[in-house]
Amino acid sequence: MCSTLVSRRTVFRRIAQRKYGEWPAYNSTPLYDRTSLAGLESDIRTVSETWFDHESHDSVKEFVCALPLAYFRFSAHDRYAGPTRYQMDTLFRVFVLKELHGWEHETALVDYLGTRPELCEQLGFETIPDQSTLWRSWHERFTPDLRETVETASRTILIKAQNAGVKIPREPERKLRHHDDESGELEPADQTTLEQAEKVTDHVSRIVFPAFSLDRGNGCEIHENAYWDLQTYLGLRERLAANEGARSFIHESTRDRTPLGHAHRDHIRGLSIQQIREMYGQAVRQLIVELAETEEFYRAGIVAIDITEADPFTGDRTGHEDEIIGTKERNDEYAHQWATVQLVGNAVPLVLDARPVRKGESRKEIVEDLLDSVQDLVHVDNVLMDREFDSQHILEMISQRGLSYVVPKRMQTSEKAQAKRLLQRNQDRYETDRKLHLGKNEWHETTLIYRRKEKSEHDDHWQYSVFMSNRGGGFLSEYGHRWDIESGYRSIKRFMAATTSKDFGLRFFYFAFACLLYSIWRAVDLLVQVKLTGEYEHSPIVTADNTLTLLKKETGIG
């Protein structure tokens, strides 16, 4: 089917109504302008993703002709000074078409155009350029960066079309291009890794940080990016508070004006919890769009939900009892609590969403809220949680969504008795079906899996752990991935700015921004690994400190 005025209007209306970003990119962030190739790549990614979702749009050739380019200033990337016969936007389209087919030489492109006069008219050709003209345009007129953008755009179009089930001329490279040595293996040197990390970090930061906004209006003397620079700077120094950090930041920043600590905090306090979560969601969505173009990201499928605590609160919490609540250990201490959902397993461990935990909220409400947001971002198969989510109503809700789960069960009288029988029989593992009462004669069916711990410190029935799963014991091995979230929390808290403030929004923003810095680090590491080796190993080759330092540099601090 061909696109129509109605179908095109539908596509661009959807893009304009997105709540997580504006389009075109040069209009939504000062990081881009109308000559920015990164902005052009971002726009092609945005438009192609929505374009091919429309039932009438089943042709990559037609997309190339319809792609809006009038806003972009190709003149900054045109190495010809005098008058020319062919416009840059027309040549851009035709070279994207050539790359989509994977043709190495211009002759194949000329032959293709020669048999399609209607296509030539759509592209804007009055006459078809010959092979030598196209060769010179590509090698002499286009800058190297523009040629790279053509290749990136073509790869993006192929991937978005393939994901939508549209027929494509060739299979896209799901892995970024890399150069192997003769053995097919590459151990990148530290300097090479850092050079690639610098490029990737710059690119990622330009995609992610525009999602954050303080809504300060126009005409402010201090650029808004300076506030995010300062927040990143605070993450570079362990336990650094805003006042002290702002004083150091004045000397380390290359900016003429930087915010003072109290001004920084005041602006952050002006953000609601909902605004912070929406901005975080926009940033993570942009990060995922970037990662989705590598096949390594498609390992996503297992998420872990957990709750972590801030440092114990020792001051007067009068008026804040609903926010500074008791700890999970049920002791006499109080603390802020934050819930997160994170990719685990072989996937890159992004923190997909974070939210505060308030007094009176049920664990079911928290899990529902996090799953609502995460299922809009990535494909989810399996949910991992710890014992505090041992609730038949939570398990039923997860099953109703068509998801599997693995959750440890608190050992009650019947589980203890069964564990004792297993101990007497010297049996390491046992499975049995169980119905959990939901009320009103409704039941949730699950499987209990008893497993003896290796090298347990106990010599009685406490050697056994009991897990619940709606997919049987075969999924139990995945539960070990849940511990990835614990190591993630350690890094996240390392990235947090210090504060003694009781302000709930400020506290949550510090935690959410630390989650974002952690996710950027892991995303940068994946992209660098794939770029240098063509593979992704869970153990990072780019350190967190390196990534934060590069973020500091690329966002205007260093």
Side-chain angles (χ1 to χ4, degrees), residues 495-540:
F495 297 158
M496 284 183 65
T499 184
T500 57
S501 173
K502 299 178 187 177
D503 188 273
F504 198 48
L506 179 69
R507 288 268 189 170
F508 176 61
F509 180 85
Y510 279 9
F511 177 75
F513 202 86
C515 290
L516 181 63
L517 293 178
Y518 172 79
S519 298
I520 290 174
W521 163 41
R522 299 310 301 251
V524 166
D525 178 69
L526 179 145
L527 292 171
V528 170
Q529 286 196 45
V530 174
K531 182 74 175 178
L532 292 178
T533 69
E535 302 292 342
Y536 173 63
E537 297 295 335
H538 203 65
S539 179

Side-chain angles (χ1 to χ4, degrees), residues 8 15 61 104 163 192 231 246 302 331-332 369 436 484 549:
R8 291 193 294 271
I15 294 172
K61 175 182 65 178
E104 293 186 13
N163 290 348
T192 303
Q231 192 67 40
I302 307 175
N331 52 29
D332 295 332
D369 184 23
L436 305 176
D484 292 347
T549 301

Side-chain angles (χ1 to χ4, degrees), residues 55-111:
E55 60 182 6
S56 298
H57 298 167
D58 57 3
S59 167
V60 294
K61 175 182 65 178
E62 187 174 274
F63 174 78
V64 173
C65 296
L67 177 65
L69 294 176
Y71 68 88
F72 189 76
R73 292 176 179 165
F74 283 99
S75 56
H77 310 281
D78 186 353
R79 294 193 290 191
Y80 282 7
T84 56
R85 184 172 185 179
Y86 300 103
Q87 297 297 318
M88 284 288 286
D89 60 337
T90 300
L91 292 172
F92 181 85
R93 294 182 197 277
V94 80
F95 285 127
V96 168
L97 194 61
K98 173 178 175 286
E99 186 69 22
L100 286 174
H101 286 270
W103 294 321
E104 293 186 13
H105 305 291
E106 288 73 19
T107 302
L109 176 59
V110 173
D111 292 342

